[in-house]
Amino acid sequence: MSSNLVRKAASDGPVLAARNIVRRFGGLYAVNDVSFEVRRGEILGLIGPNGAGKTTMFDLLAGSIPPSSGDIVLNGANVSGDAPHRRIRRGLGRTFQIPRPLANLSLVENVMLAGQGQTGESLVANFLRPFKVAAEERVAEEKAMELLDLVLLSRLAHEPARVLSGGQRKLLELARVMMADPEIILLDEPAAGVNATLLEVIMDRIREINARGVTFLLIEHNIDMVTRLCHRVLVMASGQLICEGTASEVARDPRVIEAYLGGAA
């Protein structure tokens, strides 16, 4: 069954689900029996103190590390044993807290490299089907330019990525991940190291992409951003999911006050 048919068949269920996920490192439980669902079309926040297990959870969802036990379900399919590139093809994209674009390539080239299933990826095809490869590259460049326009970087499209500020690199990362047509994007601390002006731009772009039907799950320490952006919030502490609800609901939960806010009233 093609990936598009798989996505269509799963359209009524959650786009992503964790089922009783456990991840051990020796005797340490980094994630301990965590279950949750990401509803199709929402912006879901994942918060918690340092060491709560959030980044490990992201690594598990993206396929960077396997779970010790439990299942990860993407568009109705169990992908617990799938490599990251297979999850990308099933509709899952991920950004990183510190984006690392190819500094000497232009922005448009960086975005084009994130495309999937290009004939030109095969060395033989470049010799046997050069016209098809060239046609696909033109289409990919047009799409990349449209995505750079979406994240307000089109004026820098042909500049090397090294000229970008930290916040602009996060916008480029959004364009790169969108190149693969994801249904869900895992965002790792989009506010980290970003000035207030660019943060407003990033939030606006996330809302715009979400309005186009893309689901988001994000880790973030900026509570103001989470409150303004997320439809629901999950809270982890000591490797476990301790609370979920709206931002205002979790802010009032005593377990969150104790674990995340250090017991402050």
Side-chain angles (χ1 to χ4, degrees):
M1 182 180 290
S2 73
S3 60
N4 286 337
L5 288 176
V6 169
R7 295 184 198 183
K8 185 176 180 181
S11 60
D12 291 335
V15 65
L16 182 66
R19 309 287 191 207
N20 305 110
I21 294 296
V22 173
R23 175 64 196 194
R24 294 186 299 272
F25 294 98
L28 172 66
Y29 282 79
V31 174
N32 189 2
D33 196 26
V34 171
S35 297
F36 62 86
E37 293 183 346
V38 186
R39 299 167 188 165
R40 204 168 296 274
E42 75 174 335
I43 302 175
L44 178 64
L46 176 59
I47 66 173
N50 290 332
K54 306 182 300 297
T55 298
T56 300
M57 192 71 239
F58 257 38
D59 287 341
L60 291 162
L61 295 172
S64 302
I65 57 174
S68 301
S69 62
D71 297 311
I72 295 164
V73 180
L74 176 61
N75 277 312
N78 191 324
V79 297
S80 304
D82 285 4
H85 71 274
R86 293 187 179 277
R87 300 188 195 197
I88 291 171
R89 290 173 183 167
R90 285 186 177 272
L92 184 146
R94 180 186 182 176
T95 69
F96 292 88
Q97 180 182 350
I98 303 175
R100 292 183 174 88
L102 296 172
N104 292 324
L105 293 186
S106 69
L107 273 62
V108 68
E109 289 169 334
N110 268 276
V111 176
M112 288 174 66
L113 283 174
Q116 300 291 307
Q118 296 290 308
T119 304
E121 293 173 8
S122 165
L123 180 62
V124 174
N126 281 277
F127 290 99
L128 299 182
R129 309 177 74 182
F131 295 108
K132 179 171 183 170
V133 170
E136 287 185 355
E137 285 186 353
R138 286 193 296 271
V139 171
E141 183 173 6
E142 181 179 332
K143 179 178 178 181
M145 288 297 298
E146 290 174 353
L147 290 170
L148 286 172
D149 188 55
L150 172 65
V151 298
L152 310 180
L153 292 176
S154 57
R155 64 185 176 83
L156 300 172
H158 299 291
E159 295 294 322
R162 65 174 178 268
V163 308
L164 299 181
S165 69
Q168 288 174 323
R169 289 186 178 209
K170 298 210 171 188
L171 289 167
L172 176 61
E173 187 95 330
L174 269 178
R176 280 170 53 86
V177 75
M178 285 292 290
M179 190 70 182
D181 297 319
E183 283 201 62
I184 178 169
I185 298 174
L186 309 182
L187 285 179
D188 193 349
E189 297 199 34
V194 178
N195 67 49
T197 301
L198 264 178
L199 182 56
E200 292 297 326
V201 174
I202 290 171
M203 286 197 292
D204 182 63
R205 295 302 86 197
I206 291 170
R207 292 188 188 100
E208 172 63 24
I209 293 169
N210 178 246
R212 297 184 178 201
V214 178
T215 303
F216 284 91
L217 171 60
L218 65 95
I219 292 175
E220 188 49 64
H221 287 289
N222 186 320
I223 300 302
D224 178 64
M225 178 182 184
V226 170
T227 300
R228 293 169 57 197
L229 194 62
C230 296
H231 304 137
R232 288 191 302 135
V233 180
L234 308 173
V235 186
M236 286 185 69
S238 302
Q240 296 183 306
L241 184 65
I242 62 169
C243 182
E244 65 178 284
T246 65
S248 59
E249 287 170 345
V250 301
R252 295 193 301 267
D253 192 291
R255 295 166 297 179
V256 177
I257 295 171
E258 177 64 30
Y260 187 73
L261 301 178

